[in-house]
Amino acid sequence: MPRAAVLLSGCGNRDGSEIHESVCAVIALDRKGWDIVYTAPAIPQQKTVSYIDGTKLPPRNTLEESARIARGKIVPLNEIHLENIDSVVIPGGLGVALTLCDFAVNGASCSINPEVNSFLKNANELGIPIGAMCIAPTLVARCLPGTTLTIGNDRTTADKIEKMGCRHVECSADKSVVDRQNRVVSTPAYMTATGPAQVLEGAISMVTALEELLKNQRG
Amino acid sequence: MPRAAVLLSGCGNRDGSEIHESVCAVIALDRKGWDIVYTAPAIPQQKTVSYIDGTKLPPRNTLEESARIARGKIVPLNEIHLENIDSVVIPGGLGVALTLCDFAVNGASCSINPEVNSFLKNANELGIPIGAMCIAPTLVARCLPGTTLTIGNDRTTADKIEKMGCRHVECSADKSVVDRQNRVVSTPAYMTATGPAQVLEGAISMVTALEELLKNQRG
């Protein structure tokens, strides 16, 4: 049974992991029999907001809030051993672009949380396929220049991805873009999706592509 | 296009709405073309806990936390007009049994938040079909005695449902139990499901049954 690490960044699209995307990813993995290990860095969220009026709330911890999506079963990122992991999946949400990296603030010149950066770089060096949803491809772009990625069809974000040395390919929400060379799959999710059913279609496409990459180990 | 009110109780299975169940419900509704209106009462959560170690956290607001699942688009329960609603769906999670009612504390003699109670009673009197997942059938049992419900196969909870004047029917996670007379559908979700893919199957079964009830208006 292959095992995926689902890398979370809090709980909610405005300051953490997008909840629908996270659940669609784990449904897509679960229906193909994958084992799921939820993980997140144990660091303060860069921002915590009220989803009613956008006001700032007292800071929350990324691992603690991500654990809500994980139903309490979550492993701190620094305790994940990549030798036990077959794939890494990163749902979108502003937490990715605020806490895991600061793309939402600094765009193409963003910096990545060091722990997240080495986790993804090491995974990539070991040939572990990475799946990224919605805004998460911007994190992958900064971490792994030279990758082909999609964030749907938003030209402003696509330009920034290309500025980070990557290639952007337009894609619809129900599909995914596969970079076989770099072993990265991306799907636009709520960058273009009209609702959760489309997000699930995109997640299924992503997981199917990750499985194909797994079957074809990097030569 | 039929419209469902998805009644939430916070964000997370230990003190709010179960996240996977909530998302599975909206996927099942969305793929059949339903319009979704998220709602929750604007009241303090009865409990807010850390999902890492179970310690108590400062209190959070049920509407504000539910809004995370709703991606910010949520209507306070007291602003929902039932004439615009075709069905009510209640995902599980301890928020249902702690905040919407106090079944988790008081069992069969639990009391229901008055606003939630009149909302569900009025919906039922208007013939609006109600779908309940996981532990949410206990809330429905207290509100609408005489209903046939499932919470899967947990005998202790089933006994309490029967003590509240309802009939309990065992059911697997991928299916649902339909009470045509009282227009209530229930599905066990994480009361028995082994993972999110099964929860989605159950949610699809529930929404299919709600659609059938809608086609057959109460005579």
Side-chain angles (χ1 to χ4, degrees), chain A residues 17 20 30 40-41 50 53 58 73 77 85 97 106 109 124 140 146 152 155 157 159 164 169 178 192:
Chain A
S17 284
H20 299 201
D30 184 40
S50 162
D53 57 15
K73 276 190 78 178
L77 187 59
I85 297 296
N106 292 317
S109 59
N124 181 254
V140 175
R155 203 53 248 172
T157 312
D159 283 348
M164 291 190 277
V169 178
V178 187
T192 60

Side-chain angles (χ1 to χ4, degrees), chain B residues 127-150:
Chain B
I128 295 172
I130 296 171
M133 306 171 79
C134 194
I135 196 70
T138 60
L139 166 66
V140 175
R142 188 62 169 154
C143 184
L144 306 172
T147 310
T148 298
L149 295 157
T150 189

Side-chain angles (χ1 to χ4, degrees), chain B residues 89-105:
Chain B
V89 171
I90 319 168
L94 260 175
V96 173
L98 285 168
T99 300
L100 302 192
C101 71
D102 58 10
F103 178 81
V105 178

Side-chain angles (χ1 to χ4, degrees), chain A residues 11 13-15 18-20 24 27 30 38 49-51 60 64-65 67-69 71-72 190 195-197 200, chain B residues 11 13-15 18-20 24 30 38 49-51 60 64-65 67-69 71-72 190 195-197 200:
Chain A
C11 182
N13 65 323
R14 297 182 181 183
D15 54 11
E18 209 296 310
I19 289 173
H20 299 201
C24 285
I27 291 170
D30 184 40
Y38 297 92
V49 296
S50 162
Y51 283 46
R60 297 181 183 177
E64 195 165 70
E65 295 309 311
R68 294 179 173 271
I69 295 174
R71 299 167 45 79
Y190 274 122
L200 179 60
Chain B
C11 182
N13 65 322
R14 296 183 183 183
D15 53 12
E18 209 296 312
I19 290 173
H20 299 200
C24 285
D30 184 41
Y38 298 92
V49 295
S50 163
Y51 283 46
R60 297 182 183 178
E64 194 165 69
E65 296 308 312
R68 295 179 173 270
I69 294 174
R71 298 167 46 81
Y190 274 122
L200 179 60

Side-chain angles (χ1 to χ4, degrees), chain A residues 144 146-150 166-169 177-179 182 184-186:
Chain A
L144 305 172
T147 310
T148 298
L149 294 157
T150 189
C166 292
R167 192 163 79 93
H168 182 265
V169 178
V177 166
V178 187
D179 179 335
N182 295 297
V184 171
V185 183
S186 46

Side-chain angles (χ1 to χ4, degrees), chain B residues 33-195:
Chain B
W34 285 61
D35 196 15
I36 294 156
V37 181
Y38 298 92
T39 186
I43 57 176
Q45 294 182 184
Q46 275 307 102
K47 201 175 167 182
T48 303
V49 295
S50 163
Y51 283 46
I52 300 296
D53 56 16
T55 51
K56 265 194 166 182
L57 295 180
R60 297 182 183 178
N61 183 278
T62 308
L63 181 68
E64 194 165 69
E65 296 308 312
S66 299
R68 295 179 173 270
I69 294 174
R71 298 167 46 81
K73 278 191 75 177
I74 195 160
V75 179
L77 187 59
N78 62 8
E79 292 175 22
I80 294 278
H81 300 290
L82 281 169
E83 57 267 38
N84 302 325
I85 298 296
D86 301 289
S87 180
V88 174
V89 171
I90 319 168
L94 260 175
V96 173
L98 285 168
T99 300
L100 302 192
C101 71
D102 58 10
F103 178 81
V105 178
N106 292 318
S109 58
C110 65
S111 50
I112 307 178
N113 168 275
E115 200 185 319
V116 171
N117 195 38
S118 27
F119 176 74
L120 293 177
K121 268 198 189 333
N122 292 343
N124 181 254
E125 272 163 27
L126 290 165
I128 295 172
I130 296 171
M133 306 171 79
C134 194
I135 196 70
T138 60
L139 166 66
V140 175
R142 188 62 169 154
C143 184
L144 306 172
T147 310
T148 298
L149 295 157
T150 189
I151 44 82
N153 56 19
D154 177 58
R155 203 54 245 174
T156 313
T157 312
D159 283 348
K160 291 177 184 165
I161 281 180
E162 298 195 327
K163 220 171 171 182
M164 291 189 278
C166 291
R167 191 163 78 94
H168 181 265
V169 177
E170 290 203 2
C171 181
S172 60
D174 57 335
K175 300 211 163 43
S176 59
V177 165
V178 188
D179 179 335
R180 276 167 228 291
Q181 186 62 31
N182 295 297
R183 300 173 74 73
V184 171
V185 184
S186 47
T187 185
Y190 274 122
M191 289 296 292
T192 60
T194 54

Side-chain angles (χ1 to χ4, degrees), chain A residues 72-175:
Chain A
K73 276 190 78 178
I74 195 161
V75 179
L77 187 59
N78 62 8
E79 292 176 21
I80 294 277
H81 300 290
L82 281 170
E83 58 266 38
N84 303 326
I85 297 296
D86 301 290
S87 180
V88 174
V89 171
I90 319 168
L94 261 175
V96 173
L98 285 169
T99 300
L100 303 192
C101 71
D102 58 10
F103 179 81
V105 178
N106 292 317
S109 59
C110 64
S111 51
I112 307 177
N113 168 277
E115 200 185 320
V116 171
N117 196 39
S118 28
F119 175 74
L120 293 177
K121 268 200 190 331
N122 292 343
N124 181 254
E125 273 163 27
L126 290 166
I128 295 172
I130 296 171
M133 306 172 79
C134 194
I135 197 68
T138 60
L139 166 66
V140 175
R142 189 61 170 154
C143 184
L144 305 172
T147 310
T148 298
L149 294 157
T150 189
I151 45 80
N153 55 18
D154 177 58
R155 203 53 248 172
T156 314
T157 312
D159 283 348
K160 290 178 185 165
I161 280 180
E162 298 195 328
K163 222 172 170 181
M164 291 190 277
C166 292
R167 192 163 79 93
H168 182 265
V169 178
E170 290 201 3
C171 180
S172 60
D174 56 336
K175 299 212 164 40

